[in-house]
Structure formats: structure tokens, C-alpha cells
Amino acid sequence: MKKFIISFLTLLSTFTLAAQNDYSQYYQNLPKPMPVVQAPTIPSNKVNLKDFGAVGDGLTMNTEAFRKAISALNKQGGGRLVVPAGIWLTGLISLKDNIDLHLERNALVVFSPNKTDLIPIVDGKPDDKTKPCITASKRRNVSITGEGIIDGNGEYWRPVKRAKVSNVEWNQYKAMGGTITEKGDLWYPYNLKHLPNIADNYDAQEKARTHLIRFTDCENVMIQGVTLRNSPKFHFVPQRCTNVIVDNIKVICPWNAQNGDAIDIGNCKNVLIVNNTIDAGDDGICMKGGVGEKGFKDGPCENINIQNNIVYHAHGGFVIGSEFCGGMKNIFVHNNTFAGTDTGLRFKSRVGRGGVTEDIYISNIYMTDIRDEAIVFQCDYVDRAVGAKHQSNTSTAFSPNFTDIHISNVVCYGAATGIKAAGAKGMVHGIDIKNSTIFYTKTDKDISPECEIELNNVKFKTFDN
């Protein structure tokens, strides 16, 4: 009897975030079945960041307060760390099992512009490289929730292309200090006023640029409600995770933010991405599957459910690639809007970075003001870092194999090109697009003879017809 009472009290002392959200509605009538993702289970313990000496004045560093609060919750078996209204300047945050980082409305977690604050201290000495602002590695039941904002202070990290900014903006960057290349085409945040460098030259420092949030090898992950903005690089990057929910977040960064990807899913299984709003500097909702043998061993992105999202600016609204050697399997993309993206549905890769797609179903996609292609398959994509010189690829392994992709009910009002596809024979095949309407301004379709794409009831319209 005593053991029963203890077990009952333990049950009462936990709460499941899924209890507040019924996600089963997104798994009705799928083309292929997939597991319903469950939210993390978080103990009901609760602490407030201010109780650990934190000061939300935008000036005080709160790295140690975050560490102490997470440690205190960890000793209790987990719980919710409440971040109240205020501007909480901090360095690295590392989450542990069974912890929910909860940002109340008007809470802004701002990461330090001092790059040294994102270099962990190991055995009393700085590590050899930066870490993502918020990390979790090999953890279970981890979440970030609330109505607050997580700001990566990315302008202190990202290079800027002169061609992508106005004279006013260019002068604002120059006023920060920094370094301009001899050609005058790039500004690097190297030799900034008042802030130290973390490398011997701007090229080396560029390679140290890191992500805002990265979860690696975790199980039961959720990010819900918060706003992510201005990352040094990608915003949310789960890698090799299982059971991931991305619900009702906003991702915002400048349209010209170098490598400003919003959501990058890497070799993950059982993922739900719903109700999000994205305005990003690079790809919007992107599926990645690793490079080479390691990517292959890490396995595919599998059982990915993407519904009811809005993507404003991005290089692509929904994207596969460029690296996906682990493959893509059972992905459902439904009821999404792309308004102002460079491309809409973007499939990109090249030899050495490709894999196999399987059971990809895309439907009810609404696009407007697409700068380039509504739908594009590219098999010679070059993933080139800013300022780097092109290096030819001599490998013949891991060729892209875009196949078993089914696209229907696309409505696009305004794209330069409706559908474009290019690649060697066997790289783009087994693709069908049906019951769609595309209003284009330059070209209806540009599909190379080697690509096998079946069009059924696809209407192309332009000003002259």
C-alpha cells in the first residue's frame, strides 16, 4: 500500500506537455502511417531564474545563474526553469534531462556579443572551439516553451555581403569596426570595436560561427511558442534526435543573414513541425541527412510531419538537402504557405552529398511572390562558405536520387519559373506533380530530358495566356 501511494504521488508530481496539446489531429488520414509524436514529460518542480542571482537588466551576465538553476532542477529530477520578464544577458546554456526552459512573456534571453562567452571552459581553460548558444546532448525530455524571445546577437558573428545591403546599412556595419576585404565586397565582424577576436584572422573566426539551439542524440524534444531571432548561424538544429515537436514558434532574422537557416532537421525520426512562422535569411524548413558514410550510418530523416506553417522570406520554403546521404523517408508536407521565398519547394544536392528519397508526399501548398522557381530540383548544388573559392568534386559516390516524390494541389501566384529540374539520368525520376496551378512571369517549365517528372492537370499561366 505504501509503495502504491508513493508511486501515485510521483505520478501526480509530473506533467506531460502533451496533455496541453493534442497532436493526434495531425496524424489523421496520412498517405503513409507514422507514429504520433508525444511531448516530453517534465516534473512539476519549478524554479525562477531570479532566485539564483540573475539580473534582467541587459547588462549583467547571467551564465552562472542559468547553470545553477539547471543544476538545482537536475538534482530534483528535473522541472521547469521560469525566465521572467527582463533582458537576460548570458553565455552558454546547457540543458539536462527532464527540464523545460520556460520564457514568460517579455522575457528576452540575449546571448553575449562577446564571442569568448560561447567558448566553454574545460579544466579551467578555454576549449578549442565555440558551442551553440543552447545545447542538449544525449538527453531525454527536453523542452523550450513560453512567449519570450531568444536572441543570438548574430550581427556580431555573421559576415555581410556588400551587394545585399544598402549604403545606410553598410555604414552601420562599418561603424561597428570590423574588417572589409580588399575587393570591398565583404564585411567581417573581425577587429570589432570594444570586443575581442577569437581567432588569428577573419577566415578562421568565420569557421567558428555557431548555431542558436542545437540538440544532439536526444529523445522527446519540444520547442513551443517562443521566438528565435538573429542567430549567429542556423536557428534550431536537432541532430539524430527522436520524437521532436516544433510548434507555434517564430523564427526571425534579416533576409540577407548569411546561413540564417530557420529549422534544420538532421537525421531525425518522428518529427512534427506545425503552426510556425518563419522569416529567415536562408532555408526555411530544411531536411538534412549528413554527408558521406557518416551521414549514411546516421540514417534517414524519417516520419516527418510538416503542416500549417507560414514561410515569408527564405531561400526555400520546404527544402531537402543539400546533404542527405542518410536518405529521406516518409515525409508529409501539407497546408503550408510560402509568401516571398526565393524558391518554394526546393530539392538540392550534388554528387558526394546525395541519398535516396522515399515516400515524400507534398500537398496543399500556397505560394506567392516567389523570386525564382516554384518547384526546383538541382543536382549540381555547391555548398560554398562565404568568401570561399569553388572546389570541384571528383567523387562519384552518394549521387542524389530524388524519387518517389508526389506533389499535388499547389497554387502559386507569381514565380519567375514554374518548375525547373536538372541532373544526370537517374538523379530525378519517379516524380509526379498533379492538380496544380502556377502563374509564372518568365518560364513555365525548364525540365532537362534526363529528368523524369510526370505532370498531370498542371496549369501554367502567365500574362499572355
Side-chain angles (χ1 to χ4, degrees), residues 343-354:
T343 61
L345 301 173
R346 186 185 193 195
F347 306 87
K348 58 175 181 174
S349 191
R350 67 176 174 88
V351 174
R353 303 177 73 89

Side-chain angles (χ1 to χ4, degrees), residues 103-119:
L103 280 63
E104 293 186 337
R105 189 173 184 84
N106 296 322
L108 287 83
V109 174
V110 180
F111 285 88
S112 172
N114 188 334
K115 298 176 182 65
T116 62
D117 290 326
L118 294 189
I119 299 177

Side-chain angles (χ1 to χ4, degrees), residues 377-380 400 421-428 447-452:
F377 293 86
Q378 181 184 5
C379 298
D380 61 352
K425 189 171 182 60
M427 289 186 176
V428 181
I447 301 173
S448 71
E450 294 79 13
C451 298
E452 300 174 15

Side-chain angles (χ1 to χ4, degrees), residues 324 347 349-357 377-381 393 395-405 421-431 448 450-453:
F324 69 106
F347 306 87
S349 191
R350 67 176 174 88
V351 174
R353 303 177 73 89
V356 180
T357 60
F377 293 86
Q378 181 184 5
C379 298
D380 61 352
Y381 177 81
N393 177 49
S395 171
T396 58
F398 296 106
S399 294
N401 187 356
F402 291 115
T403 187
D404 199 8
I405 298 174
K425 189 171 182 60
M427 289 186 176
V428 181
H429 63 107
I431 315 294
S448 71
E450 294 79 13
C451 298
E452 300 174 15
I453 298 179

Side-chain angles (χ1 to χ4, degrees), residues 101-168:
L101 178 64
H102 184 79
L103 280 63
E104 293 186 337
R105 189 173 184 84
N106 296 322
L108 287 83
V109 174
V110 180
F111 285 88
S112 172
N114 188 334
K115 298 176 182 65
T116 62
D117 290 326
L118 294 189
I119 299 177
I121 303 300
V122 179
D123 297 328
K125 297 180 180 180
D127 198 6
D128 61 350
K129 59 183 178 180
T130 56
K131 300 294 184 184
C133 302
I134 300 177
T135 59
S137 178
K138 298 180 180 178
R139 300 295 181 184
R140 287 176 53 88
N141 299 319
V142 176
S143 61
I144 301 174
T145 63
E147 299 180 76
I149 297 172
I150 300 173
D151 189 321
N153 248 329
E155 64 269 27
Y156 293 96
W157 289 86
R158 297 188 301 261
V160 176
K161 293 181 178 180
R162 179 63 184 92
K164 286 189 172 184
V165 294
S166 66
N167 291 335
V168 172

Side-chain angles (χ1 to χ4, degrees), residues 3-303:
K3 289 183 178 179
F4 172 79
I5 293 173
I6 292 174
S7 298
F8 181 69
L9 291 174
T10 301
L11 180 63
L12 288 179
S13 68
T14 64
F15 65 92
T16 302
L17 294 172
Q20 307 167 18
N21 307 277
D22 180 12
Y23 290 114
S24 62
Q25 61 180 306
Y26 298 107
Y27 291 86
Q28 305 299 316
N29 303 315
L30 297 182
K32 298 275 288 190
M34 61 178 71
V36 178
V37 178
Q38 299 298 321
T41 299
I42 305 294
S44 61
N45 306 315
K46 184 184 298 185
V47 300
N48 192 298
L49 185 65
K50 293 173 67 175
D51 294 337
F52 296 85
V55 180
D57 60 1
L59 301 173
T60 304
M61 281 294 291
N62 295 292
T63 310
E64 188 64 10
F66 275 104
R67 187 194 68 78
K68 288 180 178 178
I70 292 168
S71 178
L73 278 174
N74 187 50
K75 290 177 182 178
Q76 300 177 54
R80 171 169 282 180
L81 169 53
V82 176
V83 182
I87 299 178
W88 309 94
L89 189 66
T90 184
L92 296 171
I93 297 174
S94 179
L95 299 178
K96 298 185 183 298
D97 292 336
N98 310 316
I99 287 181
D100 172 41
L101 178 64
H102 184 79
L103 280 63
E104 293 186 337
R105 189 173 184 84
N106 296 322
L108 287 83
V109 174
V110 180
F111 285 88
S112 172
N114 188 334
K115 298 176 182 65
T116 62
D117 290 326
L118 294 189
I119 299 177
I121 303 300
V122 179
D123 297 328
K125 297 180 180 180
D127 198 6
D128 61 350
K129 59 183 178 180
T130 56
K131 300 294 184 184
C133 302
I134 300 177
T135 59
S137 178
K138 298 180 180 178
R139 300 295 181 184
R140 287 176 53 88
N141 299 319
V142 176
S143 61
I144 301 174
T145 63
E147 299 180 76
I149 297 172
I150 300 173
D151 189 321
N153 248 329
E155 64 269 27
Y156 293 96
W157 289 86
R158 297 188 301 261
V160 176
K161 293 181 178 180
R162 179 63 184 92
K164 286 189 172 184
V165 294
S166 66
N167 291 335
V168 172
E169 292 171 306
W170 187 249
N171 289 331
Q172 288 174 341
Y173 283 110
K174 288 167 61 177
M176 295 169 62
T179 300
I180 298 176
T181 57
E182 290 184 7
K183 293 170 60 177
D185 59 340
L186 284 167
W187 175 90
Y188 285 89
Y190 187 79
N191 291 335
L192 292 172
K193 296 177 181 177
H194 315 299
L195 291 170
N197 299 316
I198 58 170
D200 295 333
N201 55 71
Y202 63 76
D203 281 330
Q205 185 165 283
E206 161 63 14
K207 292 180 176 63
R209 194 153 50 103
T210 189
H211 306 310
L212 185 62
I213 302 171
R214 186 172 72 201
F215 294 159
T216 307
D217 299 307
C218 293
E219 185 176 352
N220 305 336
V221 168
M222 183 164 81
I223 179 166
Q224 181 189 64
V226 295
T227 296
L228 311 182
R229 69 180 303 271
N230 217 11
S231 173
K233 202 171 182 181
F234 304 162
H235 286 76
F236 180 53
V237 188
Q239 296 180 330
R240 300 185 302 275
C241 293
T242 302
N243 297 327
V244 178
I245 297 171
V246 186
D247 178 18
N248 192 33
I249 71 168
K250 296 181 179 66
V251 182
I252 302 171
C253 73
W255 73 272
N256 50 15
Q258 195 68 31
N259 307 114
D261 291 32
I263 300 169
D264 279 21
I265 307 297
N267 302 89
C268 294
K269 294 184 178 181
N270 307 339
V271 179
L272 180 66
I273 302 173
V274 290
N275 309 317
N276 304 291
T277 302
I278 293 168
D279 197 336
D282 208 311
D283 287 327
I285 301 172
C286 185
M287 305 292 109
K288 295 183 179 293
V291 178
E293 290 292 344
K294 185 180 185 307
F296 180 77
K297 290 178 181 178
D298 287 340
C301 278
E302 184 174 4
N303 300 329

